[in-house]
Amino acid sequence: MFEGLQARLGEIVKRLTGRGALSPEDVDAALREVRLALLEADVNFKVAREFVERVRQAAVGQEVWKHLSPGQQVVKIVHRELTSLLGGATRELRFAPQPPTVVLLVGLHGVGKTTTAGKLAALLRRRGRAPLLVATDLRRPAAVRQLQVVGAAVRVPVFAPEGATDPVAVARRAVAQAVADGHDVVVVDSAGRQHADDALMAELAAMHEALRPQETLLVLDAMAGQDAVRMAEQFAARLRLDGLILTKLDGDARGGAALSAVAATGLPILFVGTGERPEALETFHPDRMASRILGMGDVLTLIERAEQTLSAEQAAELERKLRRAQFTFADFLDQLRQVRQMGPIDQLLEMIPGFSRAKLPGLTVDESQLRRIEAMIQSMTPQERAQPQLIDGSRRRRIAAGSGTTVQDVNRLLKQFDQVRRLMRQFDDRGRMGRLFPGR
Amino acid sequence: MATEPRGWLARLRASLARTRETFGERLDALLAAPPDEAFYDRLEELLVTADVGAALSAAIVDAVRRDPRARTPEAVRAALAARLREALGPPGTLRLDPPPAVVLVLGVNGSGKTTTIGKLAYRLRAEGRRVLLAAGDTFRAAAIEQLELWGERVGAPVVRHQAGADPAAVVFDAAQAAAARRADALIVDTAGRLHTKVNLMEELKKIDRVIARALPQAPVERLLVLDASTGQNGLAQARHFHGAVGLTGAVLAKLDGTAKGGIVVAVAHELRIPITFVGVGERPDDLVPFDPDAFVEALLAAPPLR
């Protein structure tokens, strides 16, 4: 996420925090690099210039140079300014006092409107709402069909009448339908264009007029370049926009253009898309994102993801089993699945403070290795999962054959599992930490 | 921590709103005064705003600054054009002989692959070639249907499996079909993938291997589709896709907005791959061969690009 920016700024931050005292020249040099890092991250050049000037003024005003750890102070200021540039406070989705709430998604071709519509519907469903998806992109080949497939995947009904040609009429009918069927949120996927031309704007303005949406959200691609600011302004000039959604943040996109769009339009980012799974849409937190950009980690999001996938009872049950060393392959399989539900391991790692991809460029978590482990456990009988000591040579061959792995793979898994169990027994023997810390 | 008054953001907003002039107009305004140090900084910024990238922009402007002939506005413009033209390298062409040729179309999500394929198929059909399409994007919802609609529109049969099928298997079948039906060109659609997803890049390598095995004699074009509005991430995309399968060219899609598409300069310069086509509209015939001279001229011209 914001990766290049993160790596560059993280490097600068590290150099600053390592120093006892900073000279004005140090600060100038650091800020020059900050500016270059911002430009390379597609931050609009005016935003970059203003931002650096702003940080310089704030830093000088506070006379940080006499402090014990001046570098930390600069980091703090950069963090604060970055947070304010990213919109300041977290902005949640607003609901209409009188349902249904209408959410209109707008944006250019290929930014991810339809995928985002599906993810947003899924998120609303998780939060106990009853959303209805509406397909109004009647121009792009198979766009309606795409939303239908996306809707089916997240189990949200899609309003898409056959042979319709007027998107505004479709949207109107959809809202009426939502009222009749008791849907409390209507998510409208609109048509895109290759650029914000008059025809598109007229269509969207008519749609906006007819629906009076509670939220009109512009969907932006995190990989966009310098033109993103102009594009966002074109939309903002013709439509009353309420916020932004930033997509495709799961790659190494630096997101600087989107960040500039926030600065240019004054609109908050409500959500960010972080992957291809339907649940990969997250509430955007400016302060957390600023932390992440500066390499301070994002523990809060990590915890939230864990809470979302692991219930309190499941956690308690797991802890009990761990303590009594009753941990079996069946539990291990559960565990594995829960962790993977939280998202790609790579992403989870990035949220850990101090974890830097720049330091470990070659590091990639091999998700297929996890799948192999899953396959091996699934090839075990319930009895074998509970009592791994039963697994002899012939059973190992069977498991290997069943899971498409080798006997060596199975051996390795059994050995590792045994080590983990031994370790747990040590926890168990003397309270929690037992023999691990014999001196205590 | 107390929130700062947002005055500076308001100021910034106002200053951004003034950035309305086109690249060419701003270049003209710059060239109106004799070059000084600030001039070269502004020139560099101008290239950055066209998504050419901070590093390459600096290098280009540095070369212009050191060019003893570039002392008049017209000479500066010419020197700038020459440097950009140089960075772009020679124009690219599709290798289609001996048939069946394979065109593997790659890119990140939403870059415009399927539409580019539709237009490319239209183009090859208009040249009288038999075109076969392979629905290798089995992941995105309704991607197969979208390709089939294009196939119907331009008269190119589509080899498809079910959604969720192994794309390598689809491509294998399509390659067999291309040989059996004596197609001139097989255009392969692939699922959009972020270049950072290791397993998806592995999948791409597998597709590439399957093509090489099924049609060992066929010329294979591996084209990366880049969205014209893409920023510096386009360079990361190109590096990764090039590393995975070895690109033979790139297509600049969606160059009908206000974005300049300057990222192709950086991509062509760094990876030494030609830009083969450019998509300039939404009609089937809106995919044209990329002309580096015309591109540079349009970039530096006073009226807005197209």
Side-chain angles (χ1 to χ4, degrees):
Chain A
M1 244 191 222
F2 285 102
E3 195 135 321
L5 186 53
Q6 188 173 320
R8 292 285 305 257
L9 290 184
E11 198 52 43
I12 295 162
V13 162
K14 202 159 38 158
R15 234 176 303 149
L16 284 181
T17 46
R19 298 287 191 84
L22 295 178
S23 69
E25 289 78 37
D26 286 338
V27 176
D28 277 347
L31 288 181
R32 259 198 307 280
E33 286 200 50
V34 168
R35 180 176 169 275
L36 201 62
L38 291 172
L39 281 183
E40 281 182 9
D42 294 317
V43 171
N44 180 285
F45 74 99
K46 283 190 179 176
V47 176
R49 203 197 281 157
E50 281 277 345
F51 179 78
V52 165
E53 206 35 56
R54 175 76 187 155
V55 170
R56 188 197 313 276
Q57 281 170 12
V60 170
Q62 299 211 352
E63 289 203 37
V64 292
W65 325 127
K66 291 174 194 144
H67 272 269
L68 233 107
S69 174
Q72 287 287 7
Q73 287 276 356
V74 175
V75 173
K76 214 166 160 182
I77 292 165
V78 172
H79 182 267
R80 190 184 65 201
E81 296 305 329
L82 210 48
T83 303
S84 118
L85 194 65
L86 287 166
T90 303
R91 159 79 152 73
E92 296 285 352
L93 195 68
R94 290 185 191 131
F95 294 96
Q98 187 73 31
T101 299
V102 177
V103 180
L104 175 60
L105 300 183
V106 301
L108 296 185
H109 268 323
V111 292
K113 277 186 303 303
T114 304
T115 304
T116 302
K119 288 178 179 176
L120 183 57
L123 180 137
L124 289 163
R125 237 181 73 101
R126 283 202 303 275
R127 294 187 185 173
R129 304 272 168 172
L132 176 69
L133 281 163
V134 185
T136 68
D137 183 355
L138 309 174
R139 275 190 70 199
R140 183 168 66 86
V144 173
R145 176 88 190 107
Q146 187 184 350
L147 189 66
Q148 283 170 331
V149 174
V150 166
V154 298
R155 285 174 296 146
V156 170
V158 176
F159 186 86
E162 284 293 313
T165 52
D166 178 6
V168 178
V170 169
R172 270 186 215 273
R173 280 165 56 202
V175 174
Q177 184 81 40
V179 174
D181 294 352
H183 291 287
D184 53 6
V185 188
V186 180
V187 178
V188 182
D189 180 24
S190 68
R193 288 286 193 284
Q194 295 199 358
H195 60 109
D197 61 14
D198 286 343
L200 174 67
M201 286 305 161
E203 178 178 320
L204 294 178
M207 184 95 78
H208 192 273
E209 180 66 25
L211 295 178
R212 305 231 160 249
Q214 182 74 17
E215 300 272 23
T216 303
L217 306 177
L218 175 65
V219 183
L220 280 176
D221 187 328
M223 296 182 288
Q226 295 278 335
D227 199 52
V229 165
R230 187 200 297 250
M231 189 273 295
E233 284 178 335
Q234 282 174 334
F235 273 89
R238 294 289 298 271
L239 290 173
R240 196 185 54 80
L241 294 177
D242 300 291
L244 308 170
I245 296 179
L246 197 50
T247 60
K248 306 181 207 173
L249 256 180
D250 49 329
D252 56 358
R254 304 170 185 185
L259 192 146
S260 307
V262 173
T265 59
L267 294 167
I269 299 176
L270 273 73
F271 298 104
V272 289
T274 55
E276 294 186 341
R277 294 161 306 120
E279 59 275 21
L281 186 75
E282 294 174 10
T283 300
F284 181 75
H285 300 283
D287 51 339
R288 296 187 198 174
M289 184 55 75
S291 299
R292 207 183 283 188
I293 288 174
L294 294 176
M296 297 169 174
D298 184 1
V299 176
L300 286 174
T301 300
L302 190 60
I303 291 170
E304 272 176 12
R305 281 210 195 173
E307 280 172 355
Q308 208 178 311
T309 45
L310 189 68
S311 73
E313 300 91 77
Q314 281 174 320
E317 171 70 12
L318 182 67
E319 196 192 340
R320 194 182 59 76
K321 282 190 165 165
L322 285 176
R323 288 226 207 149
R324 293 202 192 159
Q326 286 174 345
F327 193 66
T328 67
F329 267 116
D331 299 319
F332 184 49
L333 188 60
D334 278 352
Q335 239 345 59
L336 202 59
R337 286 180 176 161
Q338 274 154 2
V339 170
R340 292 187 59 202
Q341 262 176 33
M342 285 167 63
I345 310 285
D346 289 17
Q347 268 186 22
L348 301 181
L349 284 176
E350 274 170 31
M351 294 180 196
I352 297 169
F355 178 84
S356 153
R357 189 157 293 275
K359 251 184 283 169
L360 297 161
L363 181 96
T364 49
V365 176
D366 190 358
E367 302 266 343
S368 66
Q369 185 67 34
L370 298 180
R371 272 201 299 280
R372 264 200 294 279
I373 291 175
E374 215 176 306
M376 282 189 270
I377 300 176
Q378 276 173 321
S379 297
M380 296 176 189
T381 66
Q383 207 190 0
E384 285 165 354
R385 292 182 204 185
Q387 295 164 279
Q389 62 274 19
L390 290 178
I391 303 174
D392 57 16
S394 100
R395 287 177 192 252
R396 283 173 203 215
R397 275 194 297 280
R398 193 203 75 242
I399 292 166
S403 57
T405 56
T406 63
V407 174
Q408 286 76 26
D409 290 328
V410 178
N411 286 341
R412 202 173 311 127
L413 175 65
L414 288 169
K415 195 173 164 198
Q416 285 167 349
F417 188 76
D418 189 50
Q419 284 169 347
V420 173
R421 286 235 290 195
R422 269 174 219 273
L423 194 65
M424 284 171 183
R425 215 161 287 138
Q426 294 179 332
F427 275 90
D428 183 51
D429 280 355
R430 267 200 251 157
R432 289 206 121 172
M433 289 296 160
R435 266 180 224 158
L436 287 179
F437 299 98
R440 247 178 32 162
Chain B
M1 194 174 298
T3 321
E4 285 285 310
R6 315 235 316 163
W8 75 284
L9 282 176
R11 232 180 335 109
L12 179 60
R13 218 157 282 148
S15 93
L16 283 169
R18 285 196 295 272
T19 325
R20 283 290 178 276
E21 310 88 26
T22 64
F23 185 95
E25 282 162 0
R26 290 170 58 206
L27 181 61
D28 278 350
L30 255 183
L31 292 176
D36 56 6
E37 263 317 293
F39 167 85
Y40 291 109
D41 285 350
R42 299 285 156 181
L43 201 57
E44 194 177 315
E45 268 179 5
L46 204 51
L47 289 175
V48 167
T49 60
D51 291 321
V52 173
L56 182 56
S57 297
I60 288 177
V61 169
D62 202 43
V64 170
R65 186 191 345 227
R66 282 187 291 165
D67 187 338
R69 288 161 303 169
R71 290 294 170 265
T72 64
E74 270 324 295
V76 167
R77 188 190 283 272
L80 196 56
R83 294 287 87 79
L84 285 166
R85 182 60 193 77
E86 192 178 78
L88 276 168
T93 47
L94 280 192
R95 281 184 315 135
L96 295 171
D97 287 310
V102 180
V103 183
L104 180 60
V105 180
L106 321 162
V108 298
N109 315 61
S111 57
K113 283 178 298 301
T114 309
T115 305
T116 296
I117 288 168
K119 292 175 179 176
L120 183 59
Y122 175 88
R123 190 176 179 82
L124 296 180
R125 290 284 299 138
E127 292 170 3
R129 296 180 203 268
R130 277 193 302 268
V131 177
L132 192 64
L133 304 177
D137 182 355
T138 59
F139 181 79
R140 180 170 66 85
I144 299 172
E145 285 88 339
Q146 190 183 345
L147 191 70
E148 281 185 323
L149 287 170
W150 270 108
E152 270 169 42
R153 197 184 282 180
V154 305
V158 177
V159 175
R160 59 164 290 180
H161 286 186
Q162 294 304 306
D166 177 5
V170 178
V171 172
F172 183 78
D173 282 358
Q176 302 267 307
R181 301 185 203 172
R182 301 182 175 283
D184 295 313
L186 169 66
I187 310 180
V188 179
D189 192 12
T190 60
R193 63 201 73 221
L194 294 185
H195 48 286
T196 51
K197 305 271 159 95
V198 175
N199 49 347
L200 293 181
M201 296 309 276
E202 287 301 320
E203 180 186 274
L204 210 52
K205 290 186 198 168
K206 183 174 163 193
I207 291 173
D208 194 49
R209 284 197 300 270
V210 164
I211 293 171
R213 210 177 313 134
L215 297 170
Q217 308 300 322
V220 181
E221 291 282 346
R222 301 175 192 86
L223 300 182
L224 176 71
V225 179
L226 283 166
D227 186 324
S229 69
T230 304
Q232 295 314 296
N233 190 250
L235 205 47
Q237 294 168 22
R239 280 185 198 129
H240 280 83
F241 279 99
H242 195 48
V245 296
L247 299 173
T248 60
V251 176
L252 183 59
K254 311 188 203 176
L255 190 72
D256 55 337
T258 49
K260 308 298 182 303
I263 186 61
V264 294
V265 181
V267 168
H269 174 71
E270 184 184 308
L271 299 180
R272 303 272 158 208
I273 56 166
I275 313 301
T276 34
F277 288 102
V278 54
V280 293
E282 297 185 17
R283 289 192 326 247
D285 58 353
D286 282 336
L287 184 77
V288 297
F290 180 81
D291 176 346
D293 296 312
F295 177 80
V296 169
E297 197 180 311
L299 186 69
L300 300 181
L305 201 57
R306 274 188 69 99

